[in-house]
Amino acid sequence: MQTRRKIMLWLVPVGLILLFLFVGVLPRIRNQQELQAAVEKEKNRIVQVNTTIASRSDATSNLTLPGQIQPLRETPIYARTQGFLRKRLVDIGSQVKKGQLLATLDAPELDQDIIRAQTDVKLAKANLDRVESVSLPGAVSQQDVDNRQALYEMNQANLRRIEVLKGLQEIRAPFNGVITSRNTEQGSLISVGNTIPLFTISQLDTLRVYTDVPQSYYRYIQVGQTVEVRVPEFPGKVFSGKVVRTAEALRSQSRTLLTEVVIPNSTRELVSGLYGQVNFQLSQAEPPVVIPANTLWITPEGPQVMLVKDDNTLQVQRVEISRDFGTTLEIGSGLQGGERLVVNPSDNLQQGQKVQPRAPANAKMASANASH
């Protein structure tokens, strides 16, 4: 009886232990095994990725830059002599020809200076003639003759100087153009050295456009190159122009090349000061690689893309972006063109990982068109 009781006492703990194993430990072990199997399955599973092809852009591309339209020539006109403005013959908007009289000055004291200079010339001439008329040898020294001759020539030079100043009282146009500013009124006192010009004249039958070409494109700009200029105020209209010169040096701050474009404006449709868009057609010996923006992968190491190699494994490739067009990117370095790129790469993808690429949509369309 006691032996049976001892056996029962041993069987109860053993049963509890077995029950604990079946209820607690074995299911946990089974769950761990299933989880590990799922991890291994996920690890060995080949991920499908969407791909696209990195392609090169066309050999000829367009570069559009903002430009400032200015007159071909623009000159402020100042007075070179002092006086009162007696008459003003033009105003803003006046069309003038080269040499046309714009205004006249009045300087009464200058008229008196001319009369005095003329009198001095006559007196010096009379004195010179008097000594030259003496026929008695030795009566007049040669030095006296030379002094009177020099005085006569000096008075002549002074008269010519004053007459030139008199001529400067007439303000004339230096070239054909339009008066674009006028800063004086009739009766105003005009002083030599005044920093405010009387008029500003601009040549508007031909205009120049200045624009700054970025450093990455300066080598494609050539003198004589034809460009197109568009102005928002003339929608749909294109003004043809030519590159006439460049600065031959980049600005140190903006790293741009100042470029001058000349456009004809015989109809005077355009006016100075307009804002325009200058379109250059660039011929590139090696067109840049262009990729969709959704293939770019931004990492702490910089911009990268994921390439799908021939064996369908992934390779991380660092790239340098030249220009951002929004939906597409121009790549400066890192790609040669023709590579398969992963679309919308995620952090779950790793270097060397095996993937199953899906053909890009353009490749499917190309094969469909070829079958037809």
Side-chain angles (χ1 to χ4, degrees), residues 11-32:
L11 288 176
V12 171
V14 171
L16 292 175
I17 292 173
L18 293 175
L19 180 62
F20 175 75
L21 290 175
F22 279 104
V23 174
V25 177
L26 292 179
R28 181 175 297 179
I29 294 175
R30 190 180 303 111
N31 290 339
Q32 289 180 349

Short mmCIF file of all heavy atoms in Angstrom, two decimals, residues 11-32:
data_model
loop_
_atom_site.label_atom_id
_atom_site.label_comp_id
_atom_site.label_asym_id
_atom_site.label_seq_id
_atom_site.Cartn_x
_atom_site.Cartn_y
_atom_site.Cartn_z
N LEU A 11 4.16 9.90 -9.88
CA LEU A 11 3.47 10.06 -11.16
C LEU A 11 2.83 11.44 -11.30
O LEU A 11 2.75 12.00 -12.41
CB LEU A 11 2.38 8.99 -11.30
CG LEU A 11 2.89 7.56 -11.55
CD1 LEU A 11 1.72 6.58 -11.57
CD2 LEU A 11 3.66 7.50 -12.85
N VAL A 12 2.37 12.01 -10.21
CA VAL A 12 1.71 13.32 -10.29
C VAL A 12 2.67 14.41 -10.79
O VAL A 12 2.37 15.15 -11.74
CB VAL A 12 1.09 13.69 -8.93
CG1 VAL A 12 0.60 15.14 -8.95
CG2 VAL A 12 -0.06 12.75 -8.60
N PRO A 13 3.89 14.55 -10.22
CA PRO A 13 4.80 15.58 -10.75
C PRO A 13 5.21 15.32 -12.19
O PRO A 13 5.33 16.25 -13.00
CB PRO A 13 6.01 15.52 -9.82
CG PRO A 13 5.50 14.90 -8.58
CD PRO A 13 4.43 13.95 -8.98
N VAL A 14 5.46 14.03 -12.47
CA VAL A 14 5.86 13.71 -13.84
C VAL A 14 4.75 14.08 -14.82
O VAL A 14 4.98 14.63 -15.91
CB VAL A 14 6.24 12.22 -13.95
CG1 VAL A 14 6.45 11.82 -15.41
CG2 VAL A 14 7.49 11.93 -13.14
N GLY A 15 3.52 13.82 -14.45
CA GLY A 15 2.39 14.17 -15.31
C GLY A 15 2.27 15.67 -15.51
O GLY A 15 1.97 16.15 -16.61
N LEU A 16 2.51 16.38 -14.41
CA LEU A 16 2.44 17.85 -14.53
C LEU A 16 3.54 18.39 -15.47
O LEU A 16 3.32 19.31 -16.26
CB LEU A 16 2.57 18.49 -13.15
CG LEU A 16 1.38 18.25 -12.20
CD1 LEU A 16 1.69 18.82 -10.82
CD2 LEU A 16 0.11 18.86 -12.77
N ILE A 17 4.72 17.77 -15.34
CA ILE A 17 5.83 18.21 -16.21
C ILE A 17 5.51 17.92 -17.67
O ILE A 17 5.72 18.75 -18.56
CB ILE A 17 7.14 17.52 -15.78
CG1 ILE A 17 7.57 18.03 -14.41
CG2 ILE A 17 8.24 17.76 -16.81
CD1 ILE A 17 8.76 17.30 -13.82
N LEU A 18 4.99 16.71 -17.93
CA LEU A 18 4.63 16.36 -19.30
C LEU A 18 3.53 17.28 -19.84
O LEU A 18 3.55 17.71 -21.01
CB LEU A 18 4.19 14.90 -19.37
CG LEU A 18 5.29 13.85 -19.10
CD1 LEU A 18 4.69 12.45 -19.08
CD2 LEU A 18 6.39 13.96 -20.14
N LEU A 19 2.57 17.59 -18.97
CA LEU A 19 1.50 18.50 -19.38
C LEU A 19 2.05 19.89 -19.71
O LEU A 19 1.64 20.53 -20.69
CB LEU A 19 0.46 18.58 -18.26
CG LEU A 19 -0.74 19.50 -18.53
CD1 LEU A 19 -1.52 18.99 -19.74
CD2 LEU A 19 -1.63 19.58 -17.29
N PHE A 20 3.01 20.35 -18.92
CA PHE A 20 3.63 21.65 -19.18
C PHE A 20 4.36 21.66 -20.52
O PHE A 20 4.32 22.63 -21.28
CB PHE A 20 4.59 21.99 -18.03
CG PHE A 20 5.37 23.25 -18.26
CD1 PHE A 20 4.78 24.50 -18.11
CD2 PHE A 20 6.72 23.19 -18.63
CE1 PHE A 20 5.51 25.65 -18.32
CE2 PHE A 20 7.44 24.33 -18.84
CZ PHE A 20 6.84 25.58 -18.69
N LEU A 21 5.05 20.53 -20.80
CA LEU A 21 5.77 20.44 -22.07
C LEU A 21 4.81 20.50 -23.25
O LEU A 21 5.05 21.19 -24.24
CB LEU A 21 6.59 19.16 -22.12
CG LEU A 21 7.81 19.09 -21.18
CD1 LEU A 21 8.47 17.72 -21.24
CD2 LEU A 21 8.82 20.17 -21.54
N PHE A 22 3.72 19.74 -23.16
CA PHE A 22 2.77 19.71 -24.28
C PHE A 22 2.02 21.03 -24.43
O PHE A 22 1.74 21.48 -25.53
CB PHE A 22 1.77 18.55 -24.08
CG PHE A 22 2.31 17.22 -24.49
CD1 PHE A 22 2.73 16.31 -23.54
CD2 PHE A 22 2.43 16.88 -25.84
CE1 PHE A 22 3.23 15.08 -23.92
CE2 PHE A 22 2.93 15.65 -26.20
CZ PHE A 22 3.34 14.74 -25.25
N VAL A 23 1.71 21.63 -23.32
CA VAL A 23 0.89 22.85 -23.37
C VAL A 23 1.73 24.10 -23.62
O VAL A 23 1.34 24.99 -24.38
CB VAL A 23 0.07 23.01 -22.08
CG1 VAL A 23 -0.68 24.35 -22.07
CG2 VAL A 23 -0.89 21.86 -21.92
N GLY A 24 2.92 24.22 -23.04
CA GLY A 24 3.70 25.46 -23.12
C GLY A 24 4.91 25.40 -24.00
O GLY A 24 5.09 26.23 -24.89
N VAL A 25 5.77 24.46 -23.82
CA VAL A 25 7.08 24.46 -24.48
C VAL A 25 6.97 24.01 -25.92
O VAL A 25 7.51 24.65 -26.84
CB VAL A 25 8.06 23.57 -23.69
CG1 VAL A 25 9.41 23.51 -24.42
CG2 VAL A 25 8.23 24.09 -22.29
N LEU A 26 6.30 22.90 -26.16
CA LEU A 26 6.26 22.36 -27.53
C LEU A 26 5.60 23.32 -28.52
O LEU A 26 6.12 23.52 -29.63
CB LEU A 26 5.54 21.01 -27.53
CG LEU A 26 6.31 19.87 -26.81
CD1 LEU A 26 5.50 18.58 -26.85
CD2 LEU A 26 7.67 19.66 -27.44
N PRO A 27 4.48 23.98 -28.19
CA PRO A 27 3.92 24.96 -29.15
C PRO A 27 4.87 26.12 -29.43
O PRO A 27 4.95 26.62 -30.55
CB PRO A 27 2.64 25.44 -28.45
CG PRO A 27 2.26 24.32 -27.57
CD PRO A 27 3.54 23.73 -27.08
N ARG A 28 5.60 26.53 -28.37
CA ARG A 28 6.54 27.63 -28.59
C ARG A 28 7.67 27.21 -29.53
O ARG A 28 8.08 27.97 -30.41
CB ARG A 28 7.12 28.08 -27.25
CG ARG A 28 8.10 29.24 -27.36
CD ARG A 28 8.55 29.71 -26.01
NE ARG A 28 7.41 30.22 -25.24
CZ ARG A 28 7.51 30.68 -23.99
NH1 ARG A 28 8.69 30.66 -23.38
NH2 ARG A 28 6.45 31.13 -23.36
N ILE A 29 8.15 26.00 -29.33
CA ILE A 29 9.21 25.49 -30.22
C ILE A 29 8.68 25.39 -31.64
O ILE A 29 9.36 25.75 -32.62
CB ILE A 29 9.72 24.13 -29.72
CG1 ILE A 29 10.43 24.30 -28.37
CG2 ILE A 29 10.65 23.50 -30.74
CD1 ILE A 29 10.85 22.99 -27.73
N ARG A 30 7.42 24.90 -31.77
CA ARG A 30 6.83 24.78 -33.09
C ARG A 30 6.68 26.16 -33.76
O ARG A 30 6.95 26.33 -34.95
CB ARG A 30 5.47 24.09 -32.99
CG ARG A 30 4.88 23.72 -34.35
CD ARG A 30 3.53 23.04 -34.21
NE ARG A 30 3.61 21.86 -33.38
CZ ARG A 30 3.07 21.75 -32.16
NH1 ARG A 30 2.42 22.78 -31.64
NH2 ARG A 30 3.18 20.63 -31.47
N ASN A 31 6.29 27.16 -32.97
CA ASN A 31 6.14 28.52 -33.52
C ASN A 31 7.48 29.09 -33.97
O ASN A 31 7.59 29.75 -35.01
CB ASN A 31 5.51 29.44 -32.48
CG ASN A 31 4.05 29.12 -32.23
OD1 ASN A 31 3.41 28.49 -33.08
ND2 ASN A 31 3.54 29.52 -31.07
N GLN A 32 8.52 28.85 -33.17
CA GLN A 32 9.85 29.32 -33.56
C GLN A 32 10.32 28.66 -34.84
O GLN A 32 10.92 29.31 -35.70
CB GLN A 32 10.84 29.06 -32.42
CG GLN A 32 10.63 29.95 -31.19
CD GLN A 32 11.63 29.66 -30.10
OE1 GLN A 32 12.36 28.66 -30.16
NE2 GLN A 32 11.64 30.51 -29.07
#
